[in-house]
Amino acid sequence: QVQVVESGGGLVQPGGSLRLSCVVSGTLTGFYVVAWYRQVPGKERELVADISKFGITNYKNPMMGRVAISRDNANNTVYLQMNSLKVEDTGAYYCRYVGATDYWGQGTQVTVSS
């Protein structure tokens, strides 16, 4: 069993930054990837970035160049640093553990507004 818990969302002004955290706990065996997704109003959930067990990163549009994913293995935490945030980045951000099984967190809300 794996638990995935996100935190760090909130209200930020356009151009601002936020760092999201995803704590993954439980039995983590074999190869796995931890990914950040987002779902903005009117659109399907989409991949933002992911990082493998070995630290290999992958970035997707539409936040490429404005986000950085990293991990703290000692604390089983994956971070998503988001910079130069735009109003259209407003939405729910989800963490996903993809291993032998697949677990999603409950999501954290990011609101970019002046």
mmCIF file of all heavy atoms in Angstrom, residues 60-94:
data_model
loop_
_atom_site.group_PDB
_atom_site.id
_atom_site.type_symbol
_atom_site.label_atom_id
_atom_site.label_comp_id
_atom_site.label_asym_id
_atom_site.label_seq_id
_atom_site.Cartn_x
_atom_site.Cartn_y
_atom_site.Cartn_z
ATOM 1 N N LYS A 60 6.839 18.450 -19.332
ATOM 2 C CA LYS A 60 5.875 18.584 -20.424
ATOM 3 C C LYS A 60 5.348 20.017 -20.481
ATOM 4 O O LYS A 60 5.406 20.751 -19.490
ATOM 5 C CB LYS A 60 4.688 17.631 -20.203
ATOM 6 C CG LYS A 60 5.058 16.156 -20.232
ATOM 7 C CD LYS A 60 5.489 15.725 -21.606
ATOM 8 C CE LYS A 60 5.691 14.221 -21.651
ATOM 9 N NZ LYS A 60 6.172 13.771 -22.972
ATOM 10 N N ASN A 61 4.838 20.388 -21.651
ATOM 11 C CA ASN A 61 4.071 21.632 -21.735
ATOM 12 C C ASN A 61 2.826 21.483 -20.870
ATOM 13 O O ASN A 61 2.374 20.363 -20.631
ATOM 14 C CB ASN A 61 3.670 21.908 -23.177
ATOM 15 C CG ASN A 61 4.852 22.332 -24.016
ATOM 16 O OD1 ASN A 61 5.715 23.062 -23.550
ATOM 17 N ND2 ASN A 61 4.915 21.891 -25.235
ATOM 18 N N PRO A 62 2.259 22.497 -20.361
ATOM 19 C CA PRO A 62 2.482 23.900 -20.680
ATOM 20 C C PRO A 62 3.338 24.676 -19.682
ATOM 21 O O PRO A 62 3.434 25.889 -19.786
ATOM 22 C CB PRO A 62 1.064 24.452 -20.639
ATOM 23 C CG PRO A 62 0.429 23.670 -19.545
ATOM 24 C CD PRO A 62 1.024 22.285 -19.629
ATOM 25 N N MET A 63 3.977 23.953 -18.762
ATOM 26 C CA MET A 63 4.743 24.689 -17.764
ATOM 27 C C MET A 63 6.249 24.522 -17.933
ATOM 28 O O MET A 63 7.026 24.976 -17.094
ATOM 29 C CB MET A 63 4.328 24.258 -16.362
ATOM 30 C CG MET A 63 2.859 24.524 -16.058
ATOM 31 S SD MET A 63 2.437 24.270 -14.325
ATOM 32 C CE MET A 63 3.016 25.805 -13.611
ATOM 33 N N MET A 64 6.655 23.880 -19.022
ATOM 34 C CA MET A 64 8.076 23.663 -19.242
ATOM 35 C C MET A 64 8.840 24.996 -19.215
ATOM 36 O O MET A 64 8.417 25.974 -19.822
ATOM 37 C CB MET A 64 8.302 22.969 -20.581
ATOM 38 C CG MET A 64 9.721 22.491 -20.791
ATOM 39 S SD MET A 64 9.942 21.739 -22.415
ATOM 40 C CE MET A 64 8.861 20.332 -22.269
ATOM 41 N N GLY A 65 9.943 24.996 -18.517
ATOM 42 C CA GLY A 65 10.737 26.213 -18.389
ATOM 43 C C GLY A 65 10.366 27.056 -17.184
ATOM 44 O O GLY A 65 11.099 27.970 -16.804
ATOM 45 N N ARG A 66 9.231 26.744 -16.584
ATOM 46 C CA ARG A 66 8.787 27.505 -15.404
ATOM 47 C C ARG A 66 8.698 26.635 -14.160
ATOM 48 O O ARG A 66 8.373 27.127 -13.080
ATOM 49 C CB ARG A 66 7.423 28.157 -15.689
ATOM 50 C CG ARG A 66 7.448 29.146 -16.844
ATOM 51 C CD ARG A 66 6.153 29.916 -16.940
ATOM 52 N NE ARG A 66 5.048 29.071 -17.379
ATOM 53 C CZ ARG A 66 3.923 28.912 -16.692
ATOM 54 N NH1 ARG A 66 3.748 29.529 -15.536
ATOM 55 N NH2 ARG A 66 2.953 28.142 -17.157
ATOM 56 N N VAL A 67 8.942 25.358 -14.306
ATOM 57 C CA VAL A 67 8.853 24.446 -13.170
ATOM 58 C C VAL A 67 10.127 23.609 -13.061
ATOM 59 O O VAL A 67 10.835 23.397 -14.048
ATOM 60 C CB VAL A 67 7.637 23.495 -13.267
ATOM 61 C CG1 VAL A 67 6.334 24.267 -13.234
ATOM 62 C CG2 VAL A 67 7.727 22.623 -14.510
ATOM 63 N N ALA A 68 10.378 23.153 -11.849
ATOM 64 C CA ALA A 68 11.491 22.248 -11.607
ATOM 65 C C ALA A 68 11.025 21.188 -10.622
ATOM 66 O O ALA A 68 10.466 21.523 -9.566
ATOM 67 C CB ALA A 68 12.686 22.994 -11.057
ATOM 68 N N ILE A 69 11.247 19.934 -10.977
ATOM 69 C CA ILE A 69 10.863 18.833 -10.099
ATOM 70 C C ILE A 69 12.120 18.278 -9.454
ATOM 71 O O ILE A 69 13.175 18.179 -10.095
ATOM 72 C CB ILE A 69 10.084 17.745 -10.882
ATOM 73 C CG1 ILE A 69 9.453 16.739 -9.931
ATOM 74 C CG2 ILE A 69 10.964 17.076 -11.925
ATOM 75 C CD1 ILE A 69 8.438 15.810 -10.620
ATOM 76 N N SER A 70 12.008 17.945 -8.197
ATOM 77 C CA SER A 70 13.164 17.417 -7.480
ATOM 78 C C SER A 70 12.662 16.459 -6.402
ATOM 79 O O SER A 70 11.467 16.384 -6.125
ATOM 80 C CB SER A 70 13.976 18.544 -6.847
ATOM 81 O OG SER A 70 13.185 19.278 -5.924
ATOM 82 N N ARG A 71 13.617 15.730 -5.817
ATOM 83 C CA ARG A 71 13.210 14.774 -4.799
ATOM 84 C C ARG A 71 14.184 14.767 -3.640
ATOM 85 O O ARG A 71 15.371 15.041 -3.806
ATOM 86 C CB ARG A 71 13.085 13.380 -5.395
ATOM 87 C CG ARG A 71 14.364 12.789 -5.932
ATOM 88 C CD ARG A 71 14.074 11.475 -6.648
ATOM 89 N NE ARG A 71 13.426 10.540 -5.726
ATOM 90 C CZ ARG A 71 12.546 9.622 -6.108
ATOM 91 N NH1 ARG A 71 12.217 9.502 -7.375
ATOM 92 N NH2 ARG A 71 12.007 8.806 -5.236
ATOM 93 N N ASP A 72 13.635 14.475 -2.473
ATOM 94 C CA ASP A 72 14.411 14.305 -1.250
ATOM 95 C C ASP A 72 14.171 12.870 -0.815
ATOM 96 O O ASP A 72 13.150 12.556 -0.199
ATOM 97 C CB ASP A 72 13.935 15.310 -0.204
ATOM 98 C CG ASP A 72 14.635 15.147 1.131
ATOM 99 O OD1 ASP A 72 15.386 14.161 1.313
ATOM 100 O OD2 ASP A 72 14.428 16.003 2.007
ATOM 101 N N ASN A 73 15.095 12.001 -1.167
ATOM 102 C CA ASN A 73 14.885 10.578 -0.888
ATOM 103 C C ASN A 73 14.813 10.281 0.602
ATOM 104 O O ASN A 73 14.079 9.388 1.032
ATOM 105 C CB ASN A 73 16.006 9.757 -1.529
ATOM 106 C CG ASN A 73 15.874 9.709 -3.041
ATOM 107 O OD1 ASN A 73 14.789 9.849 -3.584
ATOM 108 N ND2 ASN A 73 16.990 9.529 -3.721
ATOM 109 N N ALA A 74 15.538 11.026 1.377
ATOM 110 C CA ALA A 74 15.547 10.770 2.820
ATOM 111 C C ALA A 74 14.163 10.967 3.420
ATOM 112 O O ALA A 74 13.801 10.297 4.397
ATOM 113 C CB ALA A 74 16.556 11.671 3.504
ATOM 114 N N ASN A 75 13.400 11.875 2.835
ATOM 115 C CA ASN A 75 12.068 12.175 3.359
ATOM 116 C C ASN A 75 10.953 11.708 2.441
ATOM 117 O O ASN A 75 9.789 12.065 2.658
ATOM 118 C CB ASN A 75 11.941 13.683 3.606
ATOM 119 C CG ASN A 75 12.837 14.150 4.722
ATOM 120 O OD1 ASN A 75 12.768 13.642 5.839
ATOM 121 N ND2 ASN A 75 13.700 15.111 4.429
ATOM 122 N N ASN A 76 11.310 10.927 1.407
ATOM 123 C CA ASN A 76 10.306 10.408 0.458
ATOM 124 C C ASN A 76 9.405 11.516 -0.063
ATOM 125 O O ASN A 76 8.178 11.339 -0.172
ATOM 126 C CB ASN A 76 9.462 9.311 1.119
ATOM 127 C CG ASN A 76 10.249 8.035 1.323
ATOM 128 O OD1 ASN A 76 11.200 7.760 0.599
ATOM 129 N ND2 ASN A 76 9.861 7.265 2.315
ATOM 130 N N THR A 77 10.006 12.637 -0.394
ATOM 131 C CA THR A 77 9.232 13.794 -0.832
ATOM 132 C C THR A 77 9.688 14.233 -2.214
ATOM 133 O O THR A 77 10.891 14.288 -2.494
ATOM 134 C CB THR A 77 9.387 14.957 0.157
ATOM 135 O OG1 THR A 77 8.959 14.528 1.455
ATOM 136 C CG2 THR A 77 8.549 16.154 -0.274
ATOM 137 N N VAL A 78 8.724 14.536 -3.049
ATOM 138 C CA VAL A 78 8.989 15.099 -4.374
ATOM 139 C C VAL A 78 8.423 16.512 -4.397
ATOM 140 O O VAL A 78 7.279 16.729 -3.979
ATOM 141 C CB VAL A 78 8.365 14.233 -5.480
ATOM 142 C CG1 VAL A 78 8.465 14.921 -6.833
ATOM 143 C CG2 VAL A 78 9.046 12.869 -5.526
ATOM 144 N N TYR A 79 9.218 17.426 -4.881
ATOM 145 C CA TYR A 79 8.824 18.833 -4.916
ATOM 146 C C TYR A 79 8.569 19.293 -6.352
ATOM 147 O O TYR A 79 9.208 18.810 -7.290
ATOM 148 C CB TYR A 79 9.922 19.706 -4.317
ATOM 149 C CG TYR A 79 10.264 19.368 -2.890
ATOM 150 C CD1 TYR A 79 11.394 18.627 -2.585
ATOM 151 C CD2 TYR A 79 9.453 19.799 -1.850
ATOM 152 C CE1 TYR A 79 11.713 18.311 -1.275
ATOM 153 C CE2 TYR A 79 9.764 19.496 -0.531
ATOM 154 C CZ TYR A 79 10.887 18.744 -0.259
ATOM 155 O OH TYR A 79 11.197 18.438 1.044
ATOM 156 N N LEU A 80 7.665 20.234 -6.474
ATOM 157 C CA LEU A 80 7.461 20.907 -7.751
ATOM 158 C C LEU A 80 7.581 22.405 -7.490
ATOM 159 O O LEU A 80 6.691 23.012 -6.893
ATOM 160 C CB LEU A 80 6.104 20.583 -8.355
ATOM 161 C CG LEU A 80 5.889 21.145 -9.762
ATOM 162 C CD1 LEU A 80 6.775 20.408 -10.774
ATOM 163 C CD2 LEU A 80 4.419 21.059 -10.180
ATOM 164 N N GLN A 81 8.690 22.963 -7.903
ATOM 165 C CA GLN A 81 8.901 24.411 -7.788
ATOM 166 C C GLN A 81 8.299 25.074 -9.021
ATOM 167 O O GLN A 81 8.680 24.743 -10.148
ATOM 168 C CB GLN A 81 10.393 24.726 -7.692
ATOM 169 C CG GLN A 81 10.707 26.205 -7.656
ATOM 170 C CD GLN A 81 10.241 26.865 -6.369
ATOM 171 O OE1 GLN A 81 10.388 26.318 -5.291
ATOM 172 N NE2 GLN A 81 9.664 28.060 -6.489
ATOM 173 N N MET A 82 7.371 25.974 -8.808
ATOM 174 C CA MET A 82 6.689 26.644 -9.910
ATOM 175 C C MET A 82 6.980 28.127 -9.844
ATOM 176 O O MET A 82 6.746 28.773 -8.810
ATOM 177 C CB MET A 82 5.179 26.404 -9.828
ATOM 178 C CG MET A 82 4.793 24.934 -9.755
ATOM 179 S SD MET A 82 3.025 24.659 -9.910
ATOM 180 C CE MET A 82 2.446 25.477 -8.414
ATOM 181 N N ASN A 83 7.482 28.681 -10.929
ATOM 182 C CA ASN A 83 7.852 30.081 -11.008
ATOM 183 C C ASN A 83 7.089 30.788 -12.117
ATOM 184 O O ASN A 83 6.506 30.131 -12.988
ATOM 185 C CB ASN A 83 9.355 30.205 -11.257
ATOM 186 C CG ASN A 83 10.189 29.506 -10.201
ATOM 187 O OD1 ASN A 83 9.925 29.609 -8.999
ATOM 188 N ND2 ASN A 83 11.201 28.782 -10.639
ATOM 189 N N SER A 84 7.115 32.098 -12.082
ATOM 190 C CA SER A 84 6.455 32.912 -13.122
ATOM 191 C C SER A 84 5.033 32.432 -13.374
ATOM 192 O O SER A 84 4.615 32.243 -14.527
ATOM 193 C CB SER A 84 7.265 32.857 -14.422
ATOM 194 O OG SER A 84 8.576 33.312 -14.217
ATOM 195 N N LEU A 85 4.305 32.249 -12.301
ATOM 196 C CA LEU A 85 2.960 31.696 -12.430
ATOM 197 C C LEU A 85 2.023 32.657 -13.142
ATOM 198 O O LEU A 85 2.133 33.888 -13.007
ATOM 199 C CB LEU A 85 2.415 31.335 -11.049
ATOM 200 C CG LEU A 85 3.022 30.046 -10.474
ATOM 201 C CD1 LEU A 85 2.750 29.943 -8.977
ATOM 202 C CD2 LEU A 85 2.481 28.830 -11.197
ATOM 203 N N LYS A 86 1.107 32.072 -13.902
ATOM 204 C CA LYS A 86 0.142 32.833 -14.682
ATOM 205 C C LYS A 86 -1.269 32.516 -14.195
ATOM 206 O O LYS A 86 -1.505 31.462 -13.587
ATOM 207 C CB LYS A 86 0.260 32.440 -16.158
ATOM 208 C CG LYS A 86 1.651 32.586 -16.735
ATOM 209 C CD LYS A 86 1.704 32.068 -18.162
ATOM 210 C CE LYS A 86 3.114 32.150 -18.734
ATOM 211 N NZ LYS A 86 3.168 31.637 -20.122
ATOM 212 N N VAL A 87 -2.185 33.400 -14.500
ATOM 213 C CA VAL A 87 -3.574 33.182 -14.109
ATOM 214 C C VAL A 87 -4.067 31.840 -14.646
ATOM 215 O O VAL A 87 -4.794 31.112 -13.956
ATOM 216 C CB VAL A 87 -4.458 34.337 -14.611
ATOM 217 C CG1 VAL A 87 -5.931 34.026 -14.405
ATOM 218 C CG2 VAL A 87 -4.080 35.643 -13.932
ATOM 219 N N GLU A 88 -3.654 31.492 -15.855
ATOM 220 C CA GLU A 88 -4.113 30.251 -16.471
ATOM 221 C C GLU A 88 -3.492 28.994 -15.859
ATOM 222 O O GLU A 88 -3.832 27.873 -16.258
ATOM 223 C CB GLU A 88 -3.859 30.264 -17.975
ATOM 224 C CG GLU A 88 -2.449 30.620 -18.389
ATOM 225 C CD GLU A 88 -2.280 32.093 -18.701
ATOM 226 O OE1 GLU A 88 -2.834 32.956 -17.963
ATOM 227 O OE2 GLU A 88 -1.555 32.400 -19.671
ATOM 228 N N ASP A 89 -2.601 29.159 -14.908
ATOM 229 C CA ASP A 89 -2.076 28.012 -14.166
ATOM 230 C C ASP A 89 -2.995 27.620 -13.011
ATOM 231 O O ASP A 89 -2.758 26.611 -12.341
ATOM 232 C CB ASP A 89 -0.688 28.325 -13.600
ATOM 233 C CG ASP A 89 0.361 28.516 -14.681
ATOM 234 O OD1 ASP A 89 0.325 27.790 -15.692
ATOM 235 O OD2 ASP A 89 1.214 29.413 -14.509
ATOM 236 N N THR A 90 -4.007 28.404 -12.779
ATOM 237 C CA THR A 90 -4.942 28.112 -11.698
ATOM 238 C C THR A 90 -5.613 26.764 -11.913
ATOM 239 O O THR A 90 -6.123 26.477 -12.992
ATOM 240 C CB THR A 90 -6.021 29.208 -11.613
ATOM 241 O OG1 THR A 90 -5.397 30.439 -11.238
ATOM 242 C CG2 THR A 90 -7.095 28.856 -10.600
ATOM 243 N N GLY A 91 -5.611 25.960 -10.866
ATOM 244 C CA GLY A 91 -6.241 24.648 -10.967
ATOM 245 C C GLY A 91 -5.827 23.759 -9.820
ATOM 246 O O GLY A 91 -5.152 24.199 -8.883
ATOM 247 N N ALA A 92 -6.229 22.495 -9.929
ATOM 248 C CA ALA A 92 -5.860 21.504 -8.939
ATOM 249 C C ALA A 92 -4.631 20.749 -9.423
ATOM 250 O O ALA A 92 -4.555 20.349 -10.587
ATOM 251 C CB ALA A 92 -7.015 20.526 -8.718
ATOM 252 N N TYR A 93 -3.682 20.587 -8.524
ATOM 253 C CA TYR A 93 -2.427 19.904 -8.841
ATOM 254 C C TYR A 93 -2.374 18.597 -8.067
ATOM 255 O O TYR A 93 -2.596 18.576 -6.849
ATOM 256 C CB TYR A 93 -1.248 20.812 -8.512
ATOM 257 C CG TYR A 93 -1.096 21.925 -9.529
ATOM 258 C CD1 TYR A 93 -2.020 22.962 -9.586
ATOM 259 C CD2 TYR A 93 -0.045 21.925 -10.447
ATOM 260 C CE1 TYR A 93 -1.912 23.966 -10.540
ATOM 261 C CE2 TYR A 93 0.075 22.924 -11.395
ATOM 262 C CZ TYR A 93 -0.864 23.943 -11.443
ATOM 263 O OH TYR A 93 -0.759 24.929 -12.394
ATOM 264 N N TYR A 94 -2.063 17.538 -8.792
ATOM 265 C CA TYR A 94 -2.104 16.196 -8.228
ATOM 266 C C TYR A 94 -0.751 15.513 -8.346
ATOM 267 O O TYR A 94 -0.051 15.658 -9.351
ATOM 268 C CB TYR A 94 -3.124 15.327 -8.964
ATOM 269 C CG TYR A 94 -4.544 15.817 -8.874
ATOM 270 C CD1 TYR A 94 -5.053 16.703 -9.815
ATOM 271 C CD2 TYR A 94 -5.381 15.387 -7.839
ATOM 272 C CE1 TYR A 94 -6.359 17.153 -9.744
ATOM 273 C CE2 TYR A 94 -6.683 15.830 -7.758
ATOM 274 C CZ TYR A 94 -7.168 16.706 -8.716
ATOM 275 O OH TYR A 94 -8.463 17.158 -8.632
#
